[in-house]
Amino acid sequence: MKKIKVFTLAPRFSVTLRSKRGFTLIELLVVISIIAFLATLAITALDKVRAQARDATRKSDLRQLAKALELYYDDNNLYPTTGASNPWWGNCIGRGSYDISGPTGWIPYLAPAYLAKLPIDPKTTLLQDTSNCYIYRSDDSRKEYKILAAYTVETVCLSATVKDDPMCDPHTGRPRSFSVWTEGAKMW
């Protein structure tokens, strides 16, 4: 009997057919770990965006308060007083737990006449936190004021000239607290 050699055109490309019913455990673990990694990246980015949005709200609140205070000043020729015994009034427990409207508001008499209600920090609820809140102070002559979003800043002050930015702390140039003030109250 003579042997016959069989040649194939592409022996390296032979295909083996096997039946596959599902994924192996290794394949599933790889896919799950990739999804978990991508979810972590997305959550981290989302947290940063939320912090930036809260900071934008704080800046907007301070600008609206400054406009309302100027309207109050135009009508009364002075700013609302906070008194000498406790010069800084706020809407949090550590600063007097003042209300958001009326004569007991953290800026007295500003709301509801000039604003519907006084804003509170977007990250906290009323009277929840002991130190992170909006605070207000006027001098004894009631010709100067300063408002702080005290210790609430979550992102970096991006101004090229931080020391001249009214939304940044004038002493350090850092955004520990966003603030709005009249010229005489800049260094309080």
Side-chain angles (χ1 to χ4, degrees):
M1 200 167 146
K2 208 174 181 190
K3 282 189 169 182
I4 301 175
K5 288 187 175 184
V6 177
F7 293 99
T8 59
L9 294 176
R12 321 180 268 172
F13 298 110
S14 62
V15 177
T16 315
L17 296 177
R18 64 180 177 127
S19 89
K20 210 174 188 186
R21 292 191 169 183
F23 297 105
T24 65
L25 181 60
I26 300 293
E27 291 170 333
L28 287 174
L29 289 174
V30 167
V31 169
I32 289 171
S33 64
I34 289 171
I35 290 171
F37 176 73
L38 292 174
T40 302
L41 290 177
I43 289 172
T44 304
L46 184 61
D47 283 345
K48 184 178 179 183
V49 169
R50 284 182 179 167
Q52 289 173 339
R54 284 189 297 269
D55 278 351
T57 299
R58 289 178 184 109
K59 288 180 179 183
S60 174
D61 287 347
L62 293 182
R63 286 185 187 106
Q64 291 300 323
L65 287 167
K67 289 176 185 176
L69 281 168
E70 293 307 318
L71 290 172
Y72 182 97
Y73 188 85
D74 287 344
D75 290 345
N76 301 293
N77 291 324
L78 37 90
Y79 295 108
T81 184
T82 54
S85 63
N86 182 12
W88 289 100
W89 286 22
N91 61 339
C92 56
I93 294 170
R95 295 295 181 174
S97 304
Y98 292 97
D99 203 359
I100 56 172
S101 184
T104 59
W106 61 272
I107 302 178
Y109 299 103
L110 196 62
Y114 299 92
L115 290 170
K117 65 178 184 174
L118 297 171
I120 59 173
D121 186 75
K123 193 172 181 178
T124 60
T125 59
L126 190 61
L127 304 178
Q128 175 186 12
D129 201 315
T130 58
S131 61
N132 299 343
C133 65
Y134 297 156
I135 57 177
Y136 168 78
R137 176 183 177 188
S138 63
D139 65 348
D140 291 335
S141 70
R142 298 173 64 183
K143 299 290 183 187
E144 307 290 341
Y145 75 87
K146 188 170 190 176
I147 309 169
L148 295 172
Y151 305 102
T152 59
V153 178
E154 299 178 71
T155 57
V156 184
C157 206
L158 301 175
S159 175
T161 57
V162 170
K163 293 243 184 225
D164 296 327
D165 188 342
M167 291 296 158
C168 298
D169 188 87
H171 300 294
T172 63
R174 304 201 63 188
R176 178 191 72 210
S177 300
F178 292 132
S179 56
V180 175
W181 60 82
T182 55
E183 191 57 38
K186 184 175 185 176
M187 292 305 190
W188 292 350

